[in-house]
Amino acid sequence: MITLVTATVLLLHSLHGNAIEFTENGYPILWDKVPGLFTELPSVDGTFIINPWNYLQRMSMYKILINATDVYMKSMGPGNTESPLWGFPLQLGWKRKSGRLVDPTGASLCGQESGDAMCISPQSWWACVNYYLSVIPFLAAVETGIVGQGLQIQIQAPSETAQDYCLTYSDCLAKHSDLMTKWVAFFQSLKNLSTFDIPDSEKKDQILGLMWSAQQSSLSASASCNTRQAHYSAPEVSFSQSWINSADYVAATHFQSNIENSKLFMSPLPSRVLREGDSPPHIPDLSAEENHTLQVFGWMRNMNTLLGGSLVQMWRSAMCSESSRVKGQAVLQGLVLDPTFAISGILGILHEMAKTC
């Protein structure tokens, strides 16, 4: 059966002539070169060393996590591409392809195709935020025993002076106790829910709710990365703030960020770092879809600010049941992917949806 998502993906493939490709053979870029086992990673005296400042090794944490948790994700649907954890490596792939992992200070060639293409710069705001969405969940998974049980694992510090990155579970727990607690709760609940005698739809909704709660905590904790925004243009900073804000809406719908769904919503993201003078929806070297997405993201953030944060609150209140969350995903799909969708009518839609709560 062709779903609405599938149909929209096919439509987008026909429209996105300028969009970057952040997948290869249906998987995140370079996925076939990413280590999927601890034994494929460097080790010293029996301790496995993971360098999160190398693209392939940061990706390896996702690959190990997805492989280890697939057994608990049966409620997400058949096949090995339904796990909501797929959204993380796809996001990292988009950040690399769009140039958002390079050194924004220009002091090094880290991340540049002409330099060390696999390098992830500790000075990149995008890489810093992703640290909270990769290393932090991975350390929590190790703590729960879902991955690496009985193994000695070490996270490599950046070569540059960067005191704001925690490297061990205990260090991260001390600095971000609520964040680590939520990721540990997610992985523990993931194991427990797989044994419960409840419908798969309930398991799925609970798993997604817990994952998005932990992800939102990661994004909140990543505020420590904000000093790095000084290295970017005003339009890029505005987009980065809108990107963070958009997660509030997506999280409330318990969005299943499997490969197909993630590709759908990521396809119209900007294919390069924004520069001074870029003004959506009139950026000539970006596609109409990218311009539209930037405009919608900006509108949602500005409207929420204008309303004192009440737009996000209204949205969360309207996402009060599984059925309302399905409707919410359809609204988001219309906002981001359909240029004819009337964004001015979003408040009316929310008011009608809230009546069912």
Side-chain angles (χ1 to χ4, degrees):
M1 180 177 67
I2 298 180
T3 63
L4 176 59
V5 169
T6 303
T8 310
V9 168
L10 293 173
L11 176 61
L12 283 172
H13 281 317
S14 67
L15 293 175
H16 282 238
N18 298 332
I20 57 172
E21 281 293 335
F22 51 87
T23 60
E24 293 173 341
N25 300 317
Y27 290 92
I29 54 172
L30 301 177
W31 192 249
D32 61 333
K33 294 180 174 60
V34 172
L37 300 170
F38 283 102
T39 53
E40 298 172 350
L41 291 165
S43 63
V44 177
D45 297 329
T47 297
F48 293 101
I49 312 295
I50 300 177
N51 177 11
W53 312 107
N54 174 275
Y55 173 79
L56 294 179
Q57 290 195 40
R58 187 177 287 203
M59 273 288 199
S60 74
M61 291 186 283
Y62 291 137
K63 197 169 192 177
I64 290 169
L65 267 181
I66 290 171
N67 289 341
T69 56
D70 261 353
V71 66
Y72 307 118
M73 296 287 190
K74 302 301 183 185
S75 61
M76 297 295 152
N80 62 357
T81 62
E82 295 301 316
S83 170
L85 298 180
W86 278 111
F88 295 115
L90 286 168
Q91 280 277 351
L92 185 58
W94 163 72
K95 289 169 187 172
R96 179 180 180 272
K97 288 288 285 187
S98 64
R100 289 179 164 85
L101 301 181
V102 305
D103 182 355
T105 69
S108 74
L109 294 177
C110 178
Q112 299 279 4
E113 292 297 330
S114 59
D116 184 354
M118 293 297 111
C119 179
I120 294 178
S121 173
Q123 299 304 323
S124 161
W125 178 84
W126 293 94
C128 181
V129 172
N130 180 262
Y131 192 90
Y132 288 85
L133 297 167
S134 55
V135 174
I136 298 289
F138 188 80
L139 289 173
V142 171
E143 178 68 16
T144 61
I146 272 193
V147 299
Q149 192 166 24
L151 300 179
Q152 294 296 315
I153 300 164
Q154 179 181 325
I155 302 296
Q156 185 172 315
S159 56
E160 306 164 38
T161 302
Q163 301 297 323
D164 48 349
Y165 290 109
C166 59
L167 301 172
T168 65
Y169 175 79
S170 58
D171 185 24
C172 294
L173 182 64
K175 291 179 178 177
H176 310 288
S177 59
D178 179 65
L179 168 59
M180 295 304 294
T181 299
K182 285 192 174 181
W183 276 114
V184 166
F186 166 69
F187 288 115
Q188 288 177 335
S189 299
L190 186 60
K191 290 194 290 186
N192 295 336
L193 280 167
S194 66
T195 66
F196 288 0
D197 186 21
I198 58 175
D200 277 353
S201 60
E202 290 185 32
K203 289 182 184 179
K204 177 180 177 179
D205 193 59
Q206 289 187 44
I207 290 170
L208 292 172
L210 289 164
M211 186 201 74
W212 279 106
S213 176
Q215 184 168 340
Q216 288 298 87
S217 291
S218 281
L219 292 176
S220 295
S222 72
S224 63
C225 302
N226 286 353
T227 54
R228 292 165 173 81
Q229 290 184 330
H231 304 307
Y232 296 92
S233 69
E236 181 71 6
V237 171
S238 178
F239 166 60
S240 69
Q241 293 169 345
S242 298
W243 180 80
I244 290 282
N245 177 252
S246 70
D248 290 327
Y249 300 93
V250 178
T253 70
H254 293 186
F255 178 68
Q256 185 182 349
S257 46
N258 59 21
I259 287 185
E260 183 179 55
N261 293 345
S262 295
K263 286 175 64 178
L264 171 68
F265 279 91
M266 287 173 57
S267 291
L269 292 179
S271 54
R272 64 163 174 80
V273 176
L274 301 184
R275 300 185 286 260
E276 296 295 352
D278 284 339
S279 179
H282 305 294
I283 305 176
D285 65 328
L286 296 187
S287 69
E289 292 74 33
E290 291 169 81
N291 271 286
H292 172 72
T293 298
L294 286 168
Q295 184 182 30
V296 169
F297 273 28
W299 179 88
M300 293 172 73
R301 182 171 67 90
N302 293 337
M303 184 59 68
N304 186 58
T305 301
L306 183 65
L307 297 175
S310 62
L311 182 60
V312 167
Q313 293 171 8
M314 290 169 61
W315 180 265
R316 287 172 177 161
S317 297
M319 302 299 109
C320 58
S321 65
E322 285 186 51
S323 60
S324 65
R325 288 190 282 273
V326 170
K327 293 177 182 177
Q329 290 182 33
V331 171
L332 287 180
Q333 186 168 316
L335 275 171
V336 176
L337 303 174
D338 182 4
T340 66
F341 192 93
I343 58 177
S344 59
I346 186 67
L347 295 179
I349 293 172
L350 284 178
H351 179 69
E352 288 301 314
M353 292 174 66
K355 289 181 179 179
T356 65
C357 296

